[in-house]
Amino acid sequence: MCGKPADTFGGQCDRCACLQMLGLGMNASAAEIESAYLTLVKVWHPDRFQSDQKLRRANEERLKEINAAHDYLNSEPPIEKARPFVAEPEPVPELEEEPEYEFVSPEPVDEEPSDEVRRVLKRYRRRSRPKILFKIVVAVGGIVMLALLWVAIDFFLSANSTTARPWDELKSEISRDLHANGVRLWASATDNAHESKDQNAQPPAAPAGEESRPSLPPEARVETPGKTRPLTAAKETNGAKPYVTSGLTPMEVLSILGSPTSSSGERMFYQGSEIDFRNGHVSGWKIDSKSPIRVKLWPNQPLVPGITSFAVGSSKSDVIELEGTPTLFSDNEFRYGGSIVFFQNDRVVSWKEDPASPRLRVAH
């Protein structure tokens, strides 16, 4: 409190420790010290507890500490307070000669505390260590206990064949939710900057050379595939936003589409459209016909030369090459308008054609 260096880390100097023991502040006067000392002596005097020997011994120890603090403070020179500046008065002519007084210097005060005082102060410092250390130990212990509990639960559930798969799915979902929440927080912080850049940019030009199906409304902006090419071909060109395609991470989707209107588990919703994730990557979507989201699928297998139609047993790559990118994409289903193609193990097993939609290019 007084600014003097303490003898121990996080502790107090001897004077501050003694003042605190008497319940006084740093600027306590000698009269206040004496008054507090007399009060504490009356409170802690052991003669008040003749019938209880245990309490009497405890009061004797406490009274020793009080006496040691009082003795130490009396041996310490008082702290001089700064005096205000006062202008010296003008000299007055002396009328009479004043008698001279001999100045006697006061006896030096021994500032070194006695052995008893040192012993009591040392014991007091050990007893008044900062409580912050205890709180830190409790916090670290709690974290370690939670970590050990998590490891035990994970080991028990993973070792059981009945709970292993649901537990792994739950862990994956928790990990994806935490990752998606962090990504959304980061994306929302930069979303305003992206919007201002988009407003200043020129209107996006329609990509040339793309083969589109006349049946699908152009507002859907679902692009038809070209030849097999890597994902890097979907980068932004001519001011148009890049495609959302299979395998993108939530961070990449957010960088393309911005913050979603809502999200739930492994799904992000954008005004009627839906992007699905599995294991932290895009695994499907459902695009509304009026949505500006651009999605794209490319064949990932060698194509059959001269293919003009697909049939039962055809691969997904064949369907993508013939029909283009579906508005609804999942593991077992492609949807083109109202028509649906069903898959099992990435092979066509059946389809359902909608009379109001263009006919699928199937082998009849």
Side-chain angles (χ1 to χ4, degrees):
M1 295 187 296
C2 63
K4 294 182 180 180
D7 296 336
T8 59
F9 175 75
Q12 299 170 326
C13 68
D14 293 341
R15 177 179 173 79
C16 290
C18 292
L19 288 172
Q20 185 175 352
M21 191 179 302
L22 297 181
L24 299 173
M26 180 183 64
N27 298 321
S29 63
E32 292 173 341
I33 293 173
E34 194 66 25
S35 176
Y37 168 70
L38 294 177
T39 301
L40 292 175
V41 167
K42 294 177 182 178
V43 172
W44 294 95
H45 202 283
D47 292 342
R48 297 176 56 202
F49 306 95
Q50 296 289 346
S51 58
D52 193 339
Q53 295 299 322
K54 183 177 180 180
L55 192 58
R56 177 184 175 85
R57 287 193 297 270
N59 280 25
E60 287 177 353
E61 293 296 324
R62 180 64 176 176
L63 189 60
K64 288 181 181 179
E65 296 177 358
I66 295 172
N67 290 332
H70 177 259
D71 295 342
Y72 179 82
L73 292 174
N74 285 338
S75 67
E76 280 281 297
I79 300 178
E80 296 184 0
K81 298 183 179 178
R83 298 177 180 178
F85 174 76
V86 180
E88 296 182 1
E90 296 181 358
V92 180
E94 297 181 358
L95 299 178
E96 294 180 358
E97 237 181 66
E98 296 182 359
E100 295 183 356
Y101 296 96
E102 182 181 1
F103 176 75
V104 180
S105 60
E107 296 182 0
V109 180
D110 186 11
E111 298 183 0
E112 293 294 328
S114 62
D115 294 338
E116 177 67 17
V117 173
R118 289 183 179 278
R119 182 182 65 81
V120 173
L121 290 177
K122 186 176 180 181
R123 184 174 59 189
Y124 178 76
R125 290 194 195 100
R126 287 198 305 264
R127 191 174 58 187
S128 60
R129 290 179 179 177
K131 296 182 179 179
I132 187 67
L133 298 177
F134 175 75
K135 295 180 179 179
I136 292 175
V137 171
V138 171
V140 173
I143 294 173
V144 172
M145 290 298 295
L146 289 176
L148 293 176
L149 181 62
W150 173 266
V151 171
I153 293 174
D154 181 56
F155 177 78
F156 176 77
L157 295 178
S158 299
N160 192 334
S161 59
T162 305
T163 59
R165 184 173 179 180
W167 175 245
D168 291 339
E169 293 178 355
L170 178 61
K171 288 193 296 182
S172 300
E173 184 175 353
I174 293 173
S175 176
R176 285 192 297 271
D177 288 343
L178 293 176
H179 179 71
N181 290 333
V183 168
R184 279 197 297 273
L185 291 175
W186 173 256
S188 62
T190 58
D191 192 45
N192 293 332
H194 288 301
E195 289 180 358
S196 61
K197 290 182 180 179
D198 293 340
Q199 291 176 358
N200 297 329
Q202 296 294 331
E210 287 289 338
E211 184 183 17
S212 60
R213 296 197 53 176
S215 60
L216 296 178
E219 294 83 357
R221 304 182 70 177
V222 179
E223 305 296 334
T224 55
K227 301 298 181 181
T228 304
R229 47 185 170 172
L231 182 59
T232 55
K235 291 184 178 179
E236 183 176 347
T237 57
N238 299 327
K241 291 185 178 180
Y243 298 106
V244 174
T245 187
S246 175
L248 294 184
T249 63
M251 175 73 78
E252 293 170 331
V253 173
L254 289 173
S255 66
I256 297 172
L257 304 179
S259 299
T261 54
S262 63
S263 64
S264 175
E266 298 181 337
R267 293 184 175 88
M268 291 184 184
F269 300 94
Y270 291 90
Q271 297 180 352
S273 297
E274 174 185 323
I275 307 296
D276 299 330
F277 295 88
R278 184 187 300 121
N279 298 328
H281 298 278
V282 173
S283 61
W285 56 66
K286 182 180 180 182
I287 307 300
D288 183 59
S289 60
K290 298 180 181 179
S291 174
I293 296 177
R294 294 159 54 90
V295 293
K296 189 70 172 288
L297 281 181
W298 286 276
N300 56 5
Q301 295 179 2
L303 302 176
V304 177
I307 184 173
T308 58
S309 61
F310 67 89
V312 174
S314 298
S315 64
K316 287 183 177 180
S317 296
D318 296 338
V319 177
I320 294 172
E321 176 68 16
L322 293 169
E323 303 294 339
T325 299
T327 54
L328 185 146
F329 157 55
S330 64
D331 285 343
N332 300 321
E333 186 177 335
F334 282 2
R335 180 169 295 180
Y336 298 93
S339 300
I340 308 174
V341 181
F342 299 98
F343 298 89
Q344 186 173 351
N345 297 327
D346 294 339
R347 294 290 174 177
V348 176
V349 293
S350 63
W351 56 82
K352 184 177 71 173
E353 290 190 274
D354 181 22
S357 300
R359 294 181 63 83
L360 297 175
R361 300 176 185 179
V362 296
H364 294 283

